[in-house]
Amino acid sequence: SAVISQKPSRDICQRGTSLTIQCQVDSQVTMMFWYRQQPGQSLTLIATANQGSEATYESGFVIDKFPISRPNLTFSTLTVSNMSPEDSSIYLCSVEDDLAGRSYNEQFFGPGTRLTVL
Amino acid sequence: AQSVTQLDSHVSVSEGTPVLLRCNYSSSYSPSLFWYVQHPNKGLQLLLKYTSAATLVKGINGFEAEFKKSETSFHLTKPSAHMSDAAEYFCVVSDHGSSNTGKLIFGQGTTLQVKP
């Protein structure tokens, strides 16, 4: 299975600022995903990021607020822009297990970035 | 559209007794189903997956789940709970063969408490 790391692991930020979260995978993968987990809640998909194309955002999430980069097959970033306390969440990246074939959609998750906005 | 319902937000068991975490799904296509576990301040770990092969799926740490199409259920069980099983458990569905291929839909989660 893929090994995924995220930076930073946690951060405390002031409202109105932006934070960029990095996701690094130890192998080349086609699809990467970004999720948000609000306090005490389940995971919600923010967007899907494929290398060489624009990210696809889910309903309720927009590129201006959550710009995503995917410069190569092992790396992606998510920026949380113009932050407010409501953005306080855990942000997780995941990758699909390409070796198993896309038909199974199994995903492996990074450890998450715990963001607190004051 | 696909969806997942975890029927219990909180389950409490005594150590050594069986665990049952219930999950029902809704899917327009042949689904893949997963159970993930999240320990406090740790990432998500895949427990097991159903991918249209055997309906009884065995996972890590003694967990298993049975896919029942007639009941649209995928309940997670373990014969004997251990203190280390205390965590948050998520039932997850993914559709393949539809335009939503690649997307995971998470249930709301079940908190498992294990009492000594």
Side-chain angles (χ1 to χ4, degrees), chain A residues 37 42 58 103 105-107, chain B residues 36 46 49 94 96 103 107:
Chain A
Q37 186 177 23
S42 185
E58 296 300 302
S103 62
N105 307 132
E106 177 179 341
Q107 293 182 18
Chain B
Y36 283 86
L46 179 68
K49 62 184 178 183
S94 174
H96 51 89
K103 291 174 56 173

Side-chain angles (χ1 to χ4, degrees), chain A residues 4-20:
Chain A
I4 304 163
S5 60
Q6 287 185 233
K7 290 181 181 179
S9 59
R10 59 179 61 227
D11 207 343
I12 301 173
C13 302
Q14 298 296 321
R15 70 168 66 215
T17 63
S18 298
L19 176 72
T20 296

Side-chain angles (χ1 to χ4, degrees), chain A residues 38-109:
Chain A
Q38 295 176 299
Q41 302 295 315
S42 185
L43 278 75
T44 301
L45 180 64
I46 297 172
T48 302
N50 290 338
Q51 192 264 340
S53 63
E54 293 284 333
T56 302
Y57 289 83
E58 296 300 302
S59 176
F61 297 96
V62 295
I63 187 171
D64 289 346
K65 176 67 176 177
F66 297 102
I68 289 171
S69 78
R70 181 79 200 274
N72 57 52
L73 291 174
T74 63
F75 187 79
S76 178
T77 67
L78 169 76
T79 299
V80 186
S81 303
N82 188 24
M83 290 184 285
S84 68
E86 291 71 35
D87 293 320
S88 297
S89 296
I90 299 173
Y91 292 87
L92 300 100
C93 70
S94 73
V95 303
E96 196 168 76
D97 182 2
D98 285 359
L99 293 179
R102 291 189 71 246
S103 62
Y104 296 149
N105 307 132
E106 177 179 341
Q107 293 182 18
F108 297 99
F109 286 81

